[in-house]
Amino acid sequence: MTGSGFTAQSTAAEVVGGIDLTGRRAVVTGAASGIGLETARALAGAGAEVTLAVRDTAAGERAAAGIASGGAGRVLVAPLDLADQRSVAAFAAAWHGPLHVLVNNAGVMMTPQTRTPEGWELQFATNHLGHFALATRLHPALAAAGRSRVVSLSSVAHLRSPVHFDDVHFRDRPYDAGLAYAQSKTANVLFAVEAGRRWAADGVTVNAVHPGAVLGTNLSRHLTREALDAAASGGRTFKTPQQGAATVVYVATAPGLERVAGRYFEDCAEAHRHIPGTSGGVADHALDPDAAALLWRMSLDCLAADVRG
């Protein structure tokens, strides 16, 4: 696979320049602000019909109006709360026709210890299980599109922790918000690995993306002022939301990635293997096919138990 020609400084608008998405339909979760909003703006600007799947539909309508004012394609808004499996089921049931692009963007980070009604840890429930349920329910629509793509947003934080299958929901070990977030981001990559394998024959490609560090989005709302100040002064390079959306849009639209699946991308390129002691790259534990298959089975079991309960 050759280089994209784009860099860490590229924007979503630059990445999608010259690509015509007329006639294609996309869903972007958490698209009322931040990276999700800029992803939706770029896809709609290229002619796609884009549905903003959001918890706050009033904020979603404001975002849609802003996108539409730029002369973009059709922009719709639909309610979706990824921590509520009934909401996920309702969204999927209301979808009709093919789906060409699904961007699993929404997420929560560093939340206080919180459990969903099922007893699931909130970050794992929202970031992984909610998106897993959404994607698997929408799989028939993705397959019907003929050639479609799913983009799973992960994070460099995945380097900090594999998925702890013996205690995913922190029922026995002390809760650590950072480790809970990290394992949920590893799960986002493992989902891409296994879904990419399972769905390739259906013409559905699935990949994971690290958008880069972007301050000032809703994702950082649970961080303390001290943590935000430390991040800003720690020498890390931060991206604008437009730059953060670039790799997402690249993986969702680049012609050269039509048959690429189960990979992890950052800065508009496939990431290298992470070397301990360095920054960036993708951890071996996030690409482990055995862990990916185990996560898939465990996720199905969680959802099945929820249905029975």
Side-chain angles (χ1 to χ4, degrees):
M1 185 167 53
T2 59
S4 68
F6 300 108
T7 70
Q9 286 73 48
S10 297
T11 66
E14 292 168 345
V15 166
V16 82
I19 295 177
D20 184 4
L21 299 179
T22 302
R24 294 186 173 273
R25 306 171 75 203
V27 169
V28 183
T29 67
S33 64
I35 294 170
L37 172 59
E38 297 306 325
T39 297
R41 191 190 312 279
L43 296 176
E49 175 193 286
V50 183
T51 296
L52 314 184
V54 296
R55 284 190 303 170
D56 184 343
T57 53
E61 293 291 354
R62 291 192 294 272
I67 294 172
S69 67
R74 189 181 185 203
V75 184
L76 307 172
V77 178
L80 175 66
D81 182 349
L82 290 161
D84 182 348
Q85 286 295 316
R86 293 171 301 179
S87 175
V88 175
F91 180 94
W95 185 268
H96 299 288
L99 174 61
H100 301 85
V101 176
L102 171 61
V103 179
N104 291 334
N105 164 81
V108 293
M109 179 174 71
M110 301 287 284
T111 58
Q113 185 170 17
T114 308
R115 297 195 181 279
T116 67
E118 299 86 358
W120 303 336
E121 189 277 317
L122 180 63
Q123 295 186 80
F124 193 82
T126 302
N127 299 346
H128 169 63
L129 288 172
H131 279 129
F132 177 87
L134 179 67
T136 52
R137 286 181 180 274
L138 289 176
H139 174 258
L142 290 162
R147 50 188 180 90
S148 59
R149 304 187 192 189
V150 180
V151 184
S152 179
L153 267 72
S154 182
S155 166
V156 69
H158 85 273
L159 298 173
R160 292 190 59 200
S161 177
V163 174
H164 287 269
F165 291 101
D166 57 342
D167 191 14
V168 166
H169 298 293
F170 289 85
R171 293 190 173 105
D172 299 318
R173 54 182 170 146
Y175 180 70
D176 183 307
L179 291 181
Y181 178 68
Q183 77 160 357
S184 76
K185 294 291 98 179
T186 290
N188 293 149
V189 188
L190 291 173
F191 164 75
V193 171
E194 183 65 5
R197 183 187 71 81
R198 287 172 174 261
W199 295 349
D202 301 320
V204 183
T205 59
V206 189
N207 289 289
V209 164
H210 168 43
V214 180
L215 280 181
T217 68
N218 285 338
L219 187 64
S220 61
R221 64 186 178 275
H222 293 292
L223 295 180
T224 65
R225 171 49 55 187
E226 291 77 10
L228 288 171
D229 289 343
S233 62
R236 182 183 299 180
T237 300
F238 290 94
K239 297 184 179 184
T240 66
Q242 294 84 356
Q243 291 171 331
T247 306
V248 182
V249 173
Y250 170 68
V251 172
T253 65
L257 300 181
E258 287 182 352
R259 290 178 172 80
V260 174
R263 314 280 182 87
Y264 175 94
F265 291 78
E266 57 187 0
D267 296 337
C268 296
E270 185 177 349
H272 60 79
R273 177 183 177 185
H274 173 70
I275 300 173
T278 67
S279 61
V282 58
D284 289 343
H285 64 244
L287 296 179
D288 180 351
D290 293 332
L294 177 58
L295 178 65
W296 192 279
R297 293 193 299 271
M298 187 206 76
S299 302
L300 288 177
D301 288 346
C302 284
L303 298 182
D306 175 46
V307 170
R308 290 194 300 269

mmCIF file of all heavy atoms in Angstrom, residues 205-258:
data_model
loop_
_atom_site.group_PDB
_atom_site.id
_atom_site.type_symbol
_atom_site.label_atom_id
_atom_site.label_comp_id
_atom_site.label_asym_id
_atom_site.label_seq_id
_atom_site.Cartn_x
_atom_site.Cartn_y
_atom_site.Cartn_z
ATOM 1 N N THR A 205 -15.532 -3.356 4.417
ATOM 2 C CA THR A 205 -14.203 -3.252 5.020
ATOM 3 C C THR A 205 -14.305 -2.479 6.324
ATOM 4 O O THR A 205 -15.087 -1.530 6.445
ATOM 5 C CB THR A 205 -13.213 -2.544 4.082
ATOM 6 O OG1 THR A 205 -13.680 -1.232 3.780
ATOM 7 C CG2 THR A 205 -13.049 -3.319 2.786
ATOM 8 N N VAL A 206 -13.520 -2.889 7.294
ATOM 9 C CA VAL A 206 -13.551 -2.270 8.617
ATOM 10 C C VAL A 206 -12.123 -1.980 9.053
ATOM 11 O O VAL A 206 -11.272 -2.870 9.023
ATOM 12 C CB VAL A 206 -14.226 -3.195 9.660
ATOM 13 C CG1 VAL A 206 -14.439 -2.453 10.977
ATOM 14 C CG2 VAL A 206 -15.555 -3.739 9.129
ATOM 15 N N ASN A 207 -11.859 -0.743 9.444
ATOM 16 C CA ASN A 207 -10.532 -0.350 9.907
ATOM 17 C C ASN A 207 -10.652 0.556 11.119
ATOM 18 O O ASN A 207 -11.706 1.158 11.374
ATOM 19 C CB ASN A 207 -9.769 0.379 8.790
ATOM 20 C CG ASN A 207 -9.349 -0.555 7.679
ATOM 21 O OD1 ASN A 207 -8.461 -1.380 7.850
ATOM 22 N ND2 ASN A 207 -10.005 -0.439 6.519
ATOM 23 N N ALA A 208 -9.563 0.657 11.864
ATOM 24 C CA ALA A 208 -9.510 1.509 13.048
ATOM 25 C C ALA A 208 -8.626 2.724 12.770
ATOM 26 O O ALA A 208 -7.704 2.662 11.954
ATOM 27 C CB ALA A 208 -8.972 0.732 14.247
ATOM 28 N N VAL A 209 -8.920 3.802 13.476
ATOM 29 C CA VAL A 209 -8.232 5.070 13.254
ATOM 30 C C VAL A 209 -7.911 5.740 14.588
ATOM 31 O O VAL A 209 -8.755 5.772 15.490
ATOM 32 C CB VAL A 209 -9.125 6.025 12.428
ATOM 33 C CG1 VAL A 209 -8.638 7.455 12.507
ATOM 34 C CG2 VAL A 209 -9.181 5.576 10.979
ATOM 35 N N HIS A 210 -6.702 6.252 14.695
ATOM 36 C CA HIS A 210 -6.353 7.189 15.770
ATOM 37 C C HIS A 210 -6.377 8.578 15.150
ATOM 38 O O HIS A 210 -5.536 8.901 14.308
ATOM 39 C CB HIS A 210 -4.976 6.882 16.337
ATOM 40 C CG HIS A 210 -4.433 7.955 17.234
ATOM 41 N ND1 HIS A 210 -5.200 8.598 18.186
ATOM 42 C CD2 HIS A 210 -3.187 8.522 17.311
ATOM 43 C CE1 HIS A 210 -4.463 9.506 18.810
ATOM 44 N NE2 HIS A 210 -3.246 9.476 18.299
ATOM 45 N N PRO A 211 -7.332 9.427 15.522
ATOM 46 C CA PRO A 211 -7.442 10.738 14.871
ATOM 47 C C PRO A 211 -6.356 11.719 15.267
ATOM 48 O O PRO A 211 -6.151 12.724 14.576
ATOM 49 C CB PRO A 211 -8.823 11.226 15.307
ATOM 50 C CG PRO A 211 -9.060 10.549 16.617
ATOM 51 C CD PRO A 211 -8.409 9.193 16.489
ATOM 52 N N GLY A 212 -5.688 11.451 16.381
ATOM 53 C CA GLY A 212 -4.719 12.404 16.903
ATOM 54 C C GLY A 212 -5.270 13.111 18.126
ATOM 55 O O GLY A 212 -6.459 13.005 18.444
ATOM 56 N N ALA A 213 -4.415 13.826 18.815
ATOM 57 C CA ALA A 213 -4.828 14.530 20.032
ATOM 58 C C ALA A 213 -5.478 15.854 19.647
ATOM 59 O O ALA A 213 -4.874 16.690 18.981
ATOM 60 C CB ALA A 213 -3.616 14.784 20.924
ATOM 61 N N VAL A 214 -6.732 16.018 20.072
ATOM 62 C CA VAL A 214 -7.486 17.243 19.797
ATOM 63 C C VAL A 214 -8.054 17.740 21.117
ATOM 64 O O VAL A 214 -8.888 17.064 21.732
ATOM 65 C CB VAL A 214 -8.626 17.000 18.791
ATOM 66 C CG1 VAL A 214 -9.399 18.291 18.533
ATOM 67 C CG2 VAL A 214 -8.078 16.436 17.490
ATOM 68 N N LEU A 215 -7.618 18.892 21.571
ATOM 69 C CA LEU A 215 -8.137 19.479 22.805
ATOM 70 C C LEU A 215 -9.413 20.266 22.519
ATOM 71 O O LEU A 215 -9.643 20.713 21.396
ATOM 72 C CB LEU A 215 -7.108 20.405 23.443
ATOM 73 C CG LEU A 215 -5.986 19.755 24.250
ATOM 74 C CD1 LEU A 215 -5.067 20.822 24.831
ATOM 75 C CD2 LEU A 215 -6.548 18.887 25.380
ATOM 76 N N GLY A 216 -10.227 20.429 23.566
ATOM 77 C CA GLY A 216 -11.385 21.294 23.448
ATOM 78 C C GLY A 216 -12.629 20.631 22.903
ATOM 79 O O GLY A 216 -13.628 21.307 22.643
ATOM 80 N N THR A 217 -12.616 19.305 22.703
ATOM 81 C CA THR A 217 -13.819 18.619 22.267
ATOM 82 C C THR A 217 -14.576 18.101 23.488
ATOM 83 O O THR A 217 -14.053 18.074 24.606
ATOM 84 C CB THR A 217 -13.478 17.439 21.349
ATOM 85 O OG1 THR A 217 -12.811 16.425 22.119
ATOM 86 C CG2 THR A 217 -12.576 17.874 20.205
ATOM 87 N N ASN A 218 -15.810 17.639 23.262
ATOM 88 C CA ASN A 218 -16.601 17.121 24.373
ATOM 89 C C ASN A 218 -15.992 15.873 24.991
ATOM 90 O O ASN A 218 -16.301 15.531 26.137
ATOM 91 C CB ASN A 218 -18.023 16.817 23.890
ATOM 92 C CG ASN A 218 -18.854 18.061 23.691
ATOM 93 O OD1 ASN A 218 -18.551 19.112 24.262
ATOM 94 N ND2 ASN A 218 -19.897 17.977 22.877
ATOM 95 N N LEU A 219 -15.130 15.193 24.263
ATOM 96 C CA LEU A 219 -14.512 13.974 24.787
ATOM 97 C C LEU A 219 -13.699 14.253 26.043
ATOM 98 O O LEU A 219 -13.581 13.403 26.924
ATOM 99 C CB LEU A 219 -13.623 13.341 23.717
ATOM 100 C CG LEU A 219 -13.024 11.966 24.037
ATOM 101 C CD1 LEU A 219 -14.121 10.928 24.198
ATOM 102 C CD2 LEU A 219 -12.061 11.541 22.949
ATOM 103 N N SER A 220 -13.142 15.457 26.147
ATOM 104 C CA SER A 220 -12.273 15.781 27.282
ATOM 105 C C SER A 220 -13.026 16.402 28.451
ATOM 106 O O SER A 220 -12.410 16.882 29.400
ATOM 107 C CB SER A 220 -11.160 16.734 26.831
ATOM 108 O OG SER A 220 -11.711 17.951 26.346
ATOM 109 N N ARG A 221 -14.351 16.336 28.440
ATOM 110 C CA ARG A 221 -15.117 17.054 29.473
ATOM 111 C C ARG A 221 -14.932 16.487 30.870
ATOM 112 O O ARG A 221 -15.203 17.181 31.862
ATOM 113 C CB ARG A 221 -16.601 17.078 29.104
ATOM 114 C CG ARG A 221 -17.292 15.725 29.053
ATOM 115 C CD ARG A 221 -18.722 15.879 28.519
ATOM 116 N NE ARG A 221 -19.437 14.618 28.396
ATOM 117 C CZ ARG A 221 -19.354 13.827 27.345
ATOM 118 N NH1 ARG A 221 -18.568 14.162 26.336
ATOM 119 N NH2 ARG A 221 -20.046 12.705 27.297
ATOM 120 N N HIS A 222 -14.489 15.247 30.994
ATOM 121 C CA HIS A 222 -14.296 14.666 32.327
ATOM 122 C C HIS A 222 -12.867 14.832 32.842
ATOM 123 O O HIS A 222 -12.559 14.406 33.954
ATOM 124 C CB HIS A 222 -14.669 13.179 32.308
ATOM 125 C CG HIS A 222 -16.133 12.934 32.093
ATOM 126 N ND1 HIS A 222 -17.092 13.256 33.023
ATOM 127 C CD2 HIS A 222 -16.800 12.410 31.031
ATOM 128 C CE1 HIS A 222 -18.287 12.928 32.566
ATOM 129 N NE2 HIS A 222 -18.136 12.421 31.358
ATOM 130 N N LEU A 223 -11.990 15.436 32.045
ATOM 131 C CA LEU A 223 -10.629 15.676 32.492
ATOM 132 C C LEU A 223 -10.592 16.890 33.415
ATOM 133 O O LEU A 223 -11.312 17.870 33.213
ATOM 134 C CB LEU A 223 -9.705 15.920 31.299
ATOM 135 C CG LEU A 223 -9.493 14.753 30.331
ATOM 136 C CD1 LEU A 223 -8.549 15.157 29.214
ATOM 137 C CD2 LEU A 223 -8.966 13.530 31.057
ATOM 138 N N THR A 224 -9.760 16.836 34.431
ATOM 139 C CA THR A 224 -9.613 17.969 35.333
ATOM 140 C C THR A 224 -8.840 19.088 34.645
ATOM 141 O O THR A 224 -8.143 18.869 33.656
ATOM 142 C CB THR A 224 -8.863 17.556 36.606
ATOM 143 O OG1 THR A 224 -7.519 17.180 36.249
ATOM 144 C CG2 THR A 224 -9.547 16.386 37.303
ATOM 145 N N ARG A 225 -8.946 20.292 35.190
ATOM 146 C CA ARG A 225 -8.179 21.413 34.649
ATOM 147 C C ARG A 225 -6.693 21.122 34.725
ATOM 148 O O ARG A 225 -5.932 21.448 33.799
ATOM 149 C CB ARG A 225 -8.520 22.685 35.433
ATOM 150 C CG ARG A 225 -7.641 23.903 35.117
ATOM 151 C CD ARG A 225 -7.483 24.180 33.643
ATOM 152 N NE ARG A 225 -8.756 24.334 32.958
ATOM 153 C CZ ARG A 225 -8.884 24.444 31.642
ATOM 154 N NH1 ARG A 225 -7.812 24.341 30.849
ATOM 155 N NH2 ARG A 225 -10.061 24.606 31.098
ATOM 156 N N GLU A 226 -6.263 20.456 35.800
ATOM 157 C CA GLU A 226 -4.847 20.130 35.938
ATOM 158 C C GLU A 226 -4.399 19.175 34.835
ATOM 159 O O GLU A 226 -3.315 19.327 34.262
ATOM 160 C CB GLU A 226 -4.587 19.497 37.315
ATOM 161 C CG GLU A 226 -4.740 20.444 38.495
ATOM 162 C CD GLU A 226 -6.186 20.720 38.861
ATOM 163 O OE1 GLU A 226 -7.091 20.031 38.311
ATOM 164 O OE2 GLU A 226 -6.423 21.630 39.666
ATOM 165 N N ALA A 227 -5.251 18.182 34.518
ATOM 166 C CA ALA A 227 -4.909 17.229 33.464
ATOM 167 C C ALA A 227 -4.854 17.914 32.103
ATOM 168 O O ALA A 227 -3.965 17.631 31.283
ATOM 169 C CB ALA A 227 -5.925 16.087 33.436
ATOM 170 N N LEU A 228 -5.783 18.824 31.858
ATOM 171 C CA LEU A 228 -5.786 19.554 30.590
ATOM 172 C C LEU A 228 -4.553 20.438 30.469
ATOM 173 O O LEU A 228 -3.920 20.515 29.415
ATOM 174 C CB LEU A 228 -7.061 20.398 30.472
ATOM 175 C CG LEU A 228 -8.358 19.624 30.226
ATOM 176 C CD1 LEU A 228 -9.556 20.551 30.365
ATOM 177 C CD2 LEU A 228 -8.342 18.978 28.851
ATOM 178 N N ASP A 229 -4.212 21.119 31.574
ATOM 179 C CA ASP A 229 -3.035 21.984 31.541
ATOM 180 C C ASP A 229 -1.765 21.166 31.331
ATOM 181 O O ASP A 229 -0.859 21.578 30.593
ATOM 182 C CB ASP A 229 -2.930 22.782 32.851
ATOM 183 C CG ASP A 229 -4.008 23.852 32.975
ATOM 184 O OD1 ASP A 229 -4.624 24.185 31.942
ATOM 185 O OD2 ASP A 229 -4.236 24.337 34.097
ATOM 186 N N ALA A 230 -1.695 19.994 31.969
ATOM 187 C CA ALA A 230 -0.520 19.146 31.822
ATOM 188 C C ALA A 230 -0.388 18.646 30.389
ATOM 189 O O ALA A 230 0.708 18.598 29.820
ATOM 190 C CB ALA A 230 -0.606 17.959 32.788
ATOM 191 N N ALA A 231 -1.533 18.305 29.780
ATOM 192 C CA ALA A 231 -1.501 17.838 28.399
ATOM 193 C C ALA A 231 -1.043 18.945 27.460
ATOM 194 O O ALA A 231 -0.243 18.722 26.548
ATOM 195 C CB ALA A 231 -2.883 17.344 27.992
ATOM 196 N N ALA A 232 -1.537 20.147 27.703
ATOM 197 C CA ALA A 232 -1.200 21.265 26.822
ATOM 198 C C ALA A 232 0.260 21.687 26.955
ATOM 199 O O ALA A 232 0.845 22.230 26.019
ATOM 200 C CB ALA A 232 -2.117 22.453 27.116
ATOM 201 N N SER A 233 0.851 21.433 28.123
ATOM 202 C CA SER A 233 2.221 21.875 28.352
ATOM 203 C C SER A 233 3.236 20.740 28.244
ATOM 204 O O SER A 233 4.412 20.929 28.508
ATOM 205 C CB SER A 233 2.335 22.508 29.747
ATOM 206 O OG SER A 233 2.033 21.557 30.758
ATOM 207 N N GLY A 234 2.767 19.561 27.838
ATOM 208 C CA GLY A 234 3.648 18.390 27.846
ATOM 209 C C GLY A 234 4.431 18.171 26.568
ATOM 210 O O GLY A 234 5.048 17.122 26.406
ATOM 211 N N GLY A 235 4.400 19.122 25.658
ATOM 212 C CA GLY A 235 5.154 18.980 24.430
ATOM 213 C C GLY A 235 4.451 18.194 23.344
ATOM 214 O O GLY A 235 5.001 17.988 22.258
ATOM 215 N N ARG A 236 3.223 17.735 23.608
ATOM 216 C CA ARG A 236 2.477 16.981 22.608
ATOM 217 C C ARG A 236 1.954 17.918 21.532
ATOM 218 O O ARG A 236 1.593 19.063 21.794
ATOM 219 C CB ARG A 236 1.309 16.256 23.279
ATOM 220 C CG ARG A 236 0.485 15.402 22.328
ATOM 221 C CD ARG A 236 -0.709 14.766 23.017
ATOM 222 N NE ARG A 236 -0.300 13.892 24.095
ATOM 223 C CZ ARG A 236 -1.178 13.218 24.859
ATOM 224 N NH1 ARG A 236 -2.471 13.364 24.660
ATOM 225 N NH2 ARG A 236 -0.728 12.438 25.829
ATOM 226 N N THR A 237 1.914 17.437 20.324
ATOM 227 C CA THR A 237 1.373 18.219 19.212
ATOM 228 C C THR A 237 -0.118 17.961 19.105
ATOM 229 O O THR A 237 -0.559 16.810 19.017
ATOM 230 C CB THR A 237 2.052 17.840 17.890
ATOM 231 O OG1 THR A 237 3.453 18.098 17.995
ATOM 232 C CG2 THR A 237 1.482 18.644 16.735
ATOM 233 N N PHE A 238 -0.893 19.030 19.132
ATOM 234 C CA PHE A 238 -2.344 18.893 19.049
ATOM 235 C C PHE A 238 -2.846 19.284 17.675
ATOM 236 O O PHE A 238 -2.255 20.111 16.975
ATOM 237 C CB PHE A 238 -3.028 19.754 20.120
ATOM 238 C CG PHE A 238 -2.827 19.222 21.510
ATOM 239 C CD1 PHE A 238 -1.787 19.678 22.302
ATOM 240 C CD2 PHE A 238 -3.667 18.244 22.012
ATOM 241 C CE1 PHE A 238 -1.594 19.175 23.574
ATOM 242 C CE2 PHE A 238 -3.477 17.734 23.280
ATOM 243 C CZ PHE A 238 -2.438 18.199 24.070
ATOM 244 N N LYS A 239 -3.948 18.671 17.287
ATOM 245 C CA LYS A 239 -4.568 18.938 16.006
ATOM 246 C C LYS A 239 -5.843 19.747 16.198
ATOM 247 O O LYS A 239 -6.474 19.709 17.258
ATOM 248 C CB LYS A 239 -4.911 17.626 15.291
ATOM 249 C CG LYS A 239 -3.726 16.753 14.933
ATOM 250 C CD LYS A 239 -4.192 15.530 14.149
ATOM 251 C CE LYS A 239 -3.023 14.636 13.743
ATOM 252 N NZ LYS A 239 -3.461 13.504 12.891
ATOM 253 N N THR A 240 -6.248 20.430 15.140
ATOM 254 C CA THR A 240 -7.571 21.030 15.124
ATOM 255 C C THR A 240 -8.583 19.917 14.845
ATOM 256 O O THR A 240 -8.218 18.834 14.365
ATOM 257 C CB THR A 240 -7.680 22.084 14.016
ATOM 258 O OG1 THR A 240 -7.575 21.416 12.730
ATOM 259 C CG2 THR A 240 -6.573 23.138 14.137
ATOM 260 N N PRO A 241 -9.865 20.140 15.135
ATOM 261 C CA PRO A 241 -10.865 19.122 14.777
ATOM 262 C C PRO A 241 -10.846 18.774 13.289
ATOM 263 O O PRO A 241 -11.057 17.619 12.917
ATOM 264 C CB PRO A 241 -12.184 19.775 15.187
ATOM 265 C CG PRO A 241 -11.809 20.682 16.321
ATOM 266 C CD PRO A 241 -10.465 21.230 15.937
ATOM 267 N N GLN A 242 -10.576 19.761 12.437
ATOM 268 C CA GLN A 242 -10.507 19.498 10.997
ATOM 269 C C GLN A 242 -9.346 18.562 10.658
ATOM 270 O O GLN A 242 -9.465 17.686 9.793
ATOM 271 C CB GLN A 242 -10.364 20.810 10.223
ATOM 272 C CG GLN A 242 -11.571 21.731 10.313
ATOM 273 C CD GLN A 242 -11.566 22.613 11.563
ATOM 274 O OE1 GLN A 242 -10.685 22.484 12.427
ATOM 275 N NE2 GLN A 242 -12.537 23.489 11.656
ATOM 276 N N GLN A 243 -8.217 18.741 11.350
ATOM 277 C CA GLN A 243 -7.080 17.841 11.147
ATOM 278 C C GLN A 243 -7.350 16.475 11.774
ATOM 279 O O GLN A 243 -6.958 15.440 11.224
ATOM 280 C CB GLN A 243 -5.820 18.459 11.743
ATOM 281 C CG GLN A 243 -5.330 19.696 10.991
ATOM 282 C CD GLN A 243 -4.221 20.419 11.730
ATOM 283 O OE1 GLN A 243 -4.141 20.386 12.966
ATOM 284 N NE2 GLN A 243 -3.342 21.085 10.983
ATOM 285 N N GLY A 244 -8.021 16.470 12.932
ATOM 286 C CA GLY A 244 -8.351 15.204 13.580
ATOM 287 C C GLY A 244 -9.265 14.341 12.733
ATOM 288 O O GLY A 244 -9.183 13.104 12.758
ATOM 289 N N ALA A 245 -10.141 14.985 11.956
ATOM 290 C CA ALA A 245 -11.072 14.239 11.108
ATOM 291 C C ALA A 245 -10.422 13.732 9.832
ATOM 292 O O ALA A 245 -10.999 12.887 9.130
ATOM 293 C CB ALA A 245 -12.270 15.121 10.758
ATOM 294 N N ALA A 246 -9.223 14.205 9.530
ATOM 295 C CA ALA A 246 -8.609 13.877 8.237
ATOM 296 C C ALA A 246 -8.370 12.377 8.064
ATOM 297 O O ALA A 246 -8.702 11.807 7.015
ATOM 298 C CB ALA A 246 -7.296 14.645 8.074
ATOM 299 N N THR A 247 -7.790 11.719 9.059
ATOM 300 C CA THR A 247 -7.511 10.285 8.919
ATOM 301 C C THR A 247 -8.808 9.490 8.859
ATOM 302 O O THR A 247 -8.909 8.493 8.137
ATOM 303 C CB THR A 247 -6.633 9.782 10.072
ATOM 304 O OG1 THR A 247 -5.447 10.588 10.151
ATOM 305 C CG2 THR A 247 -6.216 8.341 9.858
ATOM 306 N N VAL A 248 -9.804 9.929 9.605
ATOM 307 C CA VAL A 248 -11.115 9.275 9.568
ATOM 308 C C VAL A 248 -11.686 9.311 8.152
ATOM 309 O O VAL A 248 -12.120 8.295 7.600
ATOM 310 C CB VAL A 248 -12.091 9.964 10.548
ATOM 311 C CG1 VAL A 248 -13.433 9.238 10.545
ATOM 312 C CG2 VAL A 248 -11.517 10.029 11.954
ATOM 313 N N VAL A 249 -11.681 10.506 7.570
ATOM 314 C CA VAL A 249 -12.240 10.683 6.234
ATOM 315 C C VAL A 249 -11.388 9.959 5.191
ATOM 316 O O VAL A 249 -11.909 9.376 4.233
ATOM 317 C CB VAL A 249 -12.366 12.185 5.904
ATOM 318 C CG1 VAL A 249 -12.785 12.406 4.461
ATOM 319 C CG2 VAL A 249 -13.370 12.840 6.851
ATOM 320 N N TYR A 250 -10.087 9.947 5.388
ATOM 321 C CA TYR A 250 -9.199 9.227 4.473
ATOM 322 C C TYR A 250 -9.558 7.744 4.430
ATOM 323 O O TYR A 250 -9.741 7.157 3.351
ATOM 324 C CB TYR A 250 -7.746 9.413 4.903
ATOM 325 C CG TYR A 250 -6.770 8.533 4.174
ATOM 326 C CD1 TYR A 250 -6.516 8.724 2.818
ATOM 327 C CD2 TYR A 250 -6.113 7.497 4.823
ATOM 328 C CE1 TYR A 250 -5.628 7.902 2.129
ATOM 329 C CE2 TYR A 250 -5.230 6.673 4.155
ATOM 330 C CZ TYR A 250 -4.987 6.876 2.797
ATOM 331 O OH TYR A 250 -4.121 6.056 2.126
ATOM 332 N N VAL A 251 -9.702 7.138 5.593
ATOM 333 C CA VAL A 251 -10.013 5.708 5.639
ATOM 334 C C VAL A 251 -11.425 5.439 5.115
ATOM 335 O O VAL A 251 -11.686 4.387 4.522
ATOM 336 C CB VAL A 251 -9.833 5.179 7.082
ATOM 337 C CG1 VAL A 251 -10.332 3.744 7.208
ATOM 338 C CG2 VAL A 251 -8.364 5.252 7.486
ATOM 339 N N ALA A 252 -12.319 6.391 5.289
ATOM 340 C CA ALA A 252 -13.698 6.214 4.836
ATOM 341 C C ALA A 252 -13.870 6.385 3.337
ATOM 342 O O ALA A 252 -14.853 5.873 2.770
ATOM 343 C CB ALA A 252 -14.609 7.213 5.561
ATOM 344 N N THR A 253 -12.934 7.093 2.673
ATOM 345 C CA THR A 253 -13.174 7.461 1.278
ATOM 346 C C THR A 253 -12.044 7.176 0.291
ATOM 347 O O THR A 253 -12.297 7.167 -0.916
ATOM 348 C CB THR A 253 -13.494 8.965 1.174
ATOM 349 O OG1 THR A 253 -12.336 9.734 1.570
ATOM 350 C CG2 THR A 253 -14.675 9.342 2.059
ATOM 351 N N ALA A 254 -10.834 6.979 0.735
ATOM 352 C CA ALA A 254 -9.705 6.863 -0.196
ATOM 353 C C ALA A 254 -9.891 5.695 -1.161
ATOM 354 O O ALA A 254 -10.121 4.553 -0.732
ATOM 355 C CB ALA A 254 -8.403 6.689 0.573
ATOM 356 N N PRO A 255 -9.794 5.931 -2.457
ATOM 357 C CA PRO A 255 -9.992 4.855 -3.440
ATOM 358 C C PRO A 255 -9.032 3.677 -3.244
ATOM 359 O O PRO A 255 -9.396 2.529 -3.490
ATOM 360 C CB PRO A 255 -9.749 5.556 -4.783
ATOM 361 C CG PRO A 255 -10.065 7.002 -4.525
ATOM 362 C CD PRO A 255 -9.601 7.246 -3.122
ATOM 363 N N GLY A 256 -7.832 3.940 -2.783
ATOM 364 C CA GLY A 256 -6.849 2.879 -2.637
ATOM 365 C C GLY A 256 -7.084 1.939 -1.483
ATOM 366 O O GLY A 256 -6.346 0.963 -1.308
ATOM 367 N N LEU A 257 -8.116 2.204 -0.671
ATOM 368 C CA LEU A 257 -8.367 1.372 0.507
ATOM 369 C C LEU A 257 -9.601 0.499 0.359
ATOM 370 O O LEU A 257 -10.120 -0.025 1.338
ATOM 371 C CB LEU A 257 -8.520 2.270 1.752
ATOM 372 C CG LEU A 257 -7.322 3.143 2.106
ATOM 373 C CD1 LEU A 257 -7.609 3.943 3.374
ATOM 374 C CD2 LEU A 257 -6.061 2.304 2.287
ATOM 375 N N GLU A 258 -10.063 0.312 -0.861
ATOM 376 C CA GLU A 258 -11.316 -0.407 -1.082
ATOM 377 C C GLU A 258 -11.298 -1.837 -0.554
ATOM 378 O O GLU A 258 -12.332 -2.359 -0.152
ATOM 379 C CB GLU A 258 -11.673 -0.412 -2.570
ATOM 380 C CG GLU A 258 -12.152 0.949 -3.072
ATOM 381 C CD GLU A 258 -12.543 0.909 -4.540
ATOM 382 O OE1 GLU A 258 -12.291 -0.132 -5.192
ATOM 383 O OE2 GLU A 258 -13.078 1.914 -5.027
#
